[in-house]
Structure formats: structure tokens, C-alpha cells
Amino acid sequence: MNEMTATPRTVGVTPAQPIRLCWKEARPVVQCIFQVRFLTGLVLSGSVAGLRLGLAGAVGALAWLAATWTIYLLNGVSDVLADQRNGSSRPIASGVLPVETARRAAALLACVAVGCAGLLSPLMVILVSAMLVLGWLYSMGPRPGKNEVPSFFVLVTAGGFLTY
């Protein structure tokens, strides 16, 4: 069965709709906060990983946005059952964004993040990759860090430091 006919909710889906739903799942306000943090670090330091304001800074911000968007999609995938039990209206939990679509989008966004970072510097590739690994450790795997206070604290703090 193809995705367009899998459920009545997907009938008439436009190509932009999954992107919009993935963006909504990633909590746009949180994504903006990550961007403000990244740009604050860039402005205050004069450069981040060799980046300065301008085109390189914009590509760096795009790399970081793609990384944090990836992380929040993975978190939505990992939280789907708990979110459904809690009556969440988030797109994955409510069923309007299929889990497989979110997974594919997360994989694509991770590639965009690393690819953009690769246009800038090896250090930026390391930083973006580290952020993606922290996000994966937080939400996925056999022992997600979000389930234990010490791991939660370390992973969230490390992600904040990397963003600045």
C-alpha cells in the first residue's frame, strides 16, 4: 500500500505538507531558540569554527538548524507511544505525520546538516556530527538518555554548549 492511500488523512497530501508537519513536530519556537543561541555565539566570538557573519555564517546556521530539526524529529519518533497515551496533538503522535516519513526526513536533514558543515570546515563537521550524536543518544538506542536524570543533564548541557 503506498503512503498516499495508507490512511484517509493522507488523501490529497501536497508535497509541502510533510515538510510543514515535520517543522511543526520540531517545535518551531525551540528551533528559533537554537538559532538565536547559535547566532549569539557567532556574534559574541567573532567566529565559530572559523565562521563569520555572512554567507559562511548563514550556511553554518542552516547546518545547525538541520541538525536540531533532525534531533527533534527523532525525539518525536521515540516519544510516539507516550505522546499518544498523553493525548498529544503533535503531528507524529496524532497520526497526521507517519513515523516512517519523519524518520526519512530526519535522515535527509542529518545529511543536509553534515553536508552544509562540510562546505565550511572539518571542525564544523565535527561539531554538527557531535550534536547529532548527542540527539541520538538522548532519544534513541537501548538506553535513551532522556530516561535517566544524569544522562539527561549531561546530554542537554553538552548540546547547549555545542550550540554556543
Side-chain angles (χ1 to χ4, degrees):
M1 183 182 305
N2 75 37
E3 265 190 337
M4 295 302 288
T5 60
T7 67
R9 292 178 186 225
T10 61
V11 173
V13 171
T14 65
Q17 191 171 10
I19 296 167
R20 183 182 58 77
L21 292 170
C22 286
W23 180 245
K24 185 176 178 183
E25 182 69 35
R27 301 179 193 130
V29 171
V30 174
Q31 297 307 314
C32 290
I33 291 167
F34 272 106
Q35 286 296 291
V36 167
R37 289 175 182 165
F38 180 86
L39 294 171
T40 298
L42 185 64
V43 168
L44 291 177
S45 71
S47 73
V48 172
L51 306 181
R52 299 201 185 287
L53 290 177
L55 182 58
V59 173
L62 177 60
W64 210 256
L65 174 64
T68 57
W69 193 349
T70 298
I71 290 165
Y72 275 76
L73 280 175
L74 289 177
N75 185 259
V77 167
S78 72
D79 285 349
V80 68
L81 294 177
D83 286 348
Q84 286 172 340
R85 282 191 300 266
N86 293 328
S88 173
S89 63
R90 288 172 44 198
I92 295 173
S94 67
V96 296
L97 177 60
V99 169
E100 191 54 37
T101 301
R103 282 187 180 135
R104 283 190 211 128
L108 177 62
L109 285 163
C111 291
V112 168
V114 174
C116 286
L119 295 173
L120 299 170
S121 72
L123 178 56
M124 193 65 183
V125 171
I126 291 168
L127 294 172
V128 165
S129 298
M131 186 66 163
L132 289 168
V133 168
L134 289 174
W136 187 86
L137 290 171
Y138 178 86
S139 294
M140 308 302 275
R143 291 181 57 186
K146 65 184 176 184
N147 296 335
E148 299 174 2
V149 173
S151 299
F152 170 87
F153 178 77
V154 168
L155 293 168
V156 169
T157 301
F161 282 133
L162 277 177
T163 301
Y164 283 110

